[in-house]
Amino acid sequence: MNTNKLLQLQTELHAQMRDGDLLDKACGQAKHYLAHSYDRHVAPSREAVEALAGFNESLPESRGDPTAIIEQLHTIGSAGTVCQLGGRFFGLVNGSLMPTALAARITADSWDQNAVLYATSPVNAVIEQNCERWLKQLFGLPDTTVAGFVSGTSMALLCGLAAARWRLYEKLGTDINEVGLAGAPKLRIVTGRHAHSTVIKAIALLGFGTQNIEWVEVDDNGCLIADQLPELDSRTLLILQAGNVNSGGYDPIRHCCELANAAGAWTHIDGAFGLWAAASSTLSHLTDGLELAQSWSVDAHKTLNVPYDNGISLCVDEQAMTHALQNSGAYIVRSEQRDGLLYTPEMSRRARAIDLWATLKYLGREGVDVLVTGLHHQAQHMARAMTQAGFKVVNQVVFNQVIVQLDNPATTSAFTSHVQQSGEAWVGTSEWFEAPVIRISVCSWATAETDIQRTVAAFEAARSAICK
Ligand SMILES: *Cc1c(COP(=O)(O)O)cnc(C)c1O
């Protein structure tokens, strides 16, 4: 090893750290992107996508030019994005972001904190603790609830179901961490026919076996029918949904939780985007009884419009959560304070709660209410405008999701591509009771009246072009 070369590298990096030009450049590019994200085509143009081939370079043999690297991201990269920040992206369930959170994230990223332990990041631990407290207030959850800050709801589901597995087995006298599923009696998994695909994934990953799921029939908005629940018992994990990914529908939470609690079952609520109804002054009836469950999974990067990757796992049973996610080693020195790794499957991770903290601090309770209630309001507006334009809306718009079914469902895919390629709006497809449909998820703070009008106009243009 040539130590001169190491010295050279260090000298170069020290100079970059000191002068800050690169960061100024990156911030300048970011400002440009934010300022132009509301009037541009939502989908990238074909030329912009083709230009992404500019990234297909061979691995460099030697050091590059930092300025050119950052510029390449802007000149080739920015144009190759689907613009999810504006008011006309309705695919998946996708939040936008707020400048306060982005700025907080840039600040926190410059600290490069490992959120693993209090010892490695007191600031992260304190902010996580405050986020946990604020979330409990917003959702009205029991005092003993603990929060883990994870990448998204997929991971939060895994945490919640793992906690359930640990506790249900503990009550049967089995330490599941030690014995493993092969040596343990079977648990029962009960969920609605419309459970999200990541619920099924978590069930599979945790070894429960998807063939063991006891499916419960749903109503015409995709909500579990309580009367159809099988007899629950103390070996049952019941998984409810607050926000059907297509219709936005809510399972009857209070009634199901009461039955589950009386039977000694564990209830997990998947509320990836829908749990936020609990923080709305007019929509909280949707999540009535929420506090009776034992664990919850929710995203900050959807309804709350926090940047990716931001999910939260919540559990009323701290012992079950921390035992399910147990981790130890002589070099992992715990403190009397909050050690983040106890509540997540990950060990090292970025201090993502800071993005969430900044968003909550900016919005306040009232701002969260305005945002969540506003998404519902705009979704209702979208549904009315679509109906007036002669499109069939097939769900009850209880929250932020609108499902449109074409007269000729066979044209759904071509129709949706036409809308996407127009650059006017971005919507995705799905299936609703086995028929192809178009999903419109109103999830960005930015969606305004004009965005709704432009989206309806793009639908009308697609109808003229495709559905003759
Ligand atoms: C999005 C979603 C998930 C998965 O969340 P990710 O953050 O994408 O991992 C789970 N359940 C529902 C209902 C969702 O909408």
Side-chain angles (χ1 to χ4, degrees), residues 62 202 289 388-389 451:
S62 54
Q388 270 160 21
D451 297 309

Side-chain angles (χ1 to χ4, degrees), residues 93 151-155 157 196 198-199 241-245 270-273 299 301-302 310-311:
V93 184
S151 57
T153 291
S154 300
M155 199 47 83
L157 268 161
H196 193 265
T198 55
V199 170
Q241 179 157 259
N244 180 299
V245 79
D270 174 23
F273 63 94
D299 273 322
H301 57 217
K302 291 179 176 171
N310 251 293

Side-chain angles (χ1 to χ4, degrees), residues 276-341:
W276 292 99
S280 156
S281 51
T282 55
L283 301 170
S284 58
H285 61 276
L286 294 168
T287 55
D288 177 50
L290 184 70
E291 69 285 356
L292 301 176
Q294 281 70 44
S295 55
W296 306 262
S297 44
V298 59
D299 273 322
H301 57 217
K302 291 179 176 171
T303 313
L304 195 63
N305 283 234
V306 172
Y308 292 99
D309 47 15
N310 251 293
I312 307 138
S313 119
L314 294 152
C315 184
V316 73
D317 183 341
E318 176 166 15
Q319 191 190 31
M321 181 59 83
T322 56
H323 279 67
L325 305 175
Q326 45 104 32
N327 187 354
S328 62
Y331 74 104
I332 304 169
V333 182
R334 303 247 189 94
S335 67
E336 296 297 300
Q337 317 286 335
R338 180 187 168 93
D339 288 315
L341 94 163

